[in-house]
């Protein structure tokens, strides 16, 4: 276990270093943010003075080493637009994104997993055909399209829900559903496939021959044995939800990290974009490690020391 954790920690540090390097240099390809910060009447001397104050006049490798040094001190720098520490800006937006991701995960798991169970157990019935059509529709619709469609139907036409911004739980419903639909379809498909594989095994036929009902089989054997693929997908889908929040928060004017990222990219606010991307990479790495640890809790036959 110790060797596995040390190895995964080394991989995590290497991954975060690679992400930090990539986002640093890719952003510099978009141009100099100084020109977006000065008024139209600014002279070249004014531009040069601001560039020097922000440190963008230094050689690129010096800026890169300074950036890496700040990361090692857990310092994300200051926003070049707002002149506020990036950590404070992210902290103010993070609760909104966490609430949205939690709502989307509830939609994805709360609907997707039961739908997958129904698709596997009732695969020859009309209910499964209807559910399969709904799952296919959810998987086929892009997030921005489903979000706009829900605004037109439930906010504009029916007036049941607010179209955008934040407030009570009703403001969270449509963004959560729009963000969770695609993941819901993924959970449904993976759960169905895993259960069908378990249903074809000898121990299920033996249990049925001894008179075990479907409900007992599902609760005592099938659910646990089929959970490994679902856990794997869950770790990946949480990361996808955070990435998909960029689109959903833009469509619904939700003031989370996704909207902040889009605004910062357009303003070339390099420190904020770097901070958000690094936070996302850290969350992804942590979720992958947690997924590996959950494997042993679900199936003790799996030994992390032999994992690759």
């Amino acid at each position: 276990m110790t060797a596995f954790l040390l190895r995964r920690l080394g991989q995590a540090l290497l991954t975060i270093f690679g992400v930090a390097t990539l986002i640093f240099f890719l952003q510099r390809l978009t141009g100099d943010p100084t020109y977006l910060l000065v008024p139209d009447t600014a002279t070249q001397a004014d531009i040069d003075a601001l560039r020097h104050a922000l440190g963008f006049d230094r050689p690129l490798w010096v800026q890169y080493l300074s950036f890496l040094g700040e990361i090692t001190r857990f310092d994300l720098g200051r926003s070049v637009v707002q002149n506020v520490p990036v950590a404070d800006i992210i902290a103010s937006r993070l609760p909104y994104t966490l609430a949205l991701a939690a709502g989307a995960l509830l939609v994805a798991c709360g609907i997707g997993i039961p739908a997958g169970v129904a698709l596997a157990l009732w695969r020859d019935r009309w209910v499964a055909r209807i559910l399969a059509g709904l799952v296919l529709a959810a998987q086929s619709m892009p997030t921005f399209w489903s979000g706009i469609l829900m605004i037109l139907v439930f906010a504009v036409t029916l007036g049941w829900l607010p179209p955008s911004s934040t407030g009570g739980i009703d403001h969270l419903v449509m963004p959560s559903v729009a963000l969770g639909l695609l993941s819901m379809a993924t959970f449904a498909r993976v759960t169905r496939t895993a259960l069908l594989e378990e249903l074809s095994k000898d121990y299920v036929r033996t249990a049925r021959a001894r008179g075990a009902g479907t409900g007992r089989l599902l609760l005592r054997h099938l659910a646990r044995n089929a959970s490994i693929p679902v856990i794997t997908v869950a770790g990946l889908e949480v990361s996808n939800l955070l990435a998909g929040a960029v689109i959903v928060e833009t469509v619904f004017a939700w003031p989370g990290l996704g909207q902040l990222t889009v605004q910062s990219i357009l303003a070339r606010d390099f420190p904020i974009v770097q901070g958000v991307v690094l936070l996302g990479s850290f969350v992804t790495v942590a979720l992958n490690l947690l997924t590996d640890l959950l494997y042993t809790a679900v199936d003790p036959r799996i030994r992390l020391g032999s994992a690759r």
Side-chain angles (χ1 to χ4, degrees), residues 192-208:
R192 175 184 179 276
T193 302
L195 276 179
L196 287 177
E197 182 179 353
E198 291 298 321
L199 287 170
S200 64
K201 292 184 177 179
D202 292 337
Y203 79 88
V204 175
R205 289 192 288 269
T206 302
R208 289 190 184 279

Side-chain angles (χ1 to χ4, degrees), residues 153-202:
V153 174
F154 297 106
V156 177
T157 303
L158 299 176
W160 291 353
L161 295 169
S164 61
S165 192
T166 60
I169 297 298
D170 54 342
H171 289 77
L172 188 60
V173 174
M174 287 197 297
S176 297
V177 174
L179 183 57
L181 277 180
L182 185 59
S183 296
M184 180 273 291
T186 302
F187 275 109
R189 290 187 297 104
V190 171
T191 303
R192 175 184 179 276
T193 302
L195 276 179
L196 287 177
E197 182 179 353
E198 291 298 321
L199 287 170
S200 64
K201 292 184 177 179
D202 292 337

Side-chain angles (χ1 to χ4, degrees), residues 117 121-122 208 211-223:
V117 173
L121 298 181
W122 302 335
R208 289 190 184 279
T214 302
R216 182 181 178 185
L217 273 173
L218 180 64
L219 294 176
R220 298 192 61 179
H221 303 288
L222 294 175

Side-chain angles (χ1 to χ4, degrees), residues 143-148 151 163-164 245-254:
T143 303
F144 71 89
W145 169 250
S146 61
I148 294 174
I151 291 175
S164 61
V246 173
I247 299 175
V248 172
E249 290 181 4
T250 302
V251 171
F252 289 95
W254 189 263

Side-chain angles (χ1 to χ4, degrees), residues 128-144:
R129 297 188 183 95
I130 295 176
L131 285 175
L134 294 176
V135 169
L136 180 61
Q139 189 176 10
S140 303
M141 287 191 297
T143 303
F144 71 89

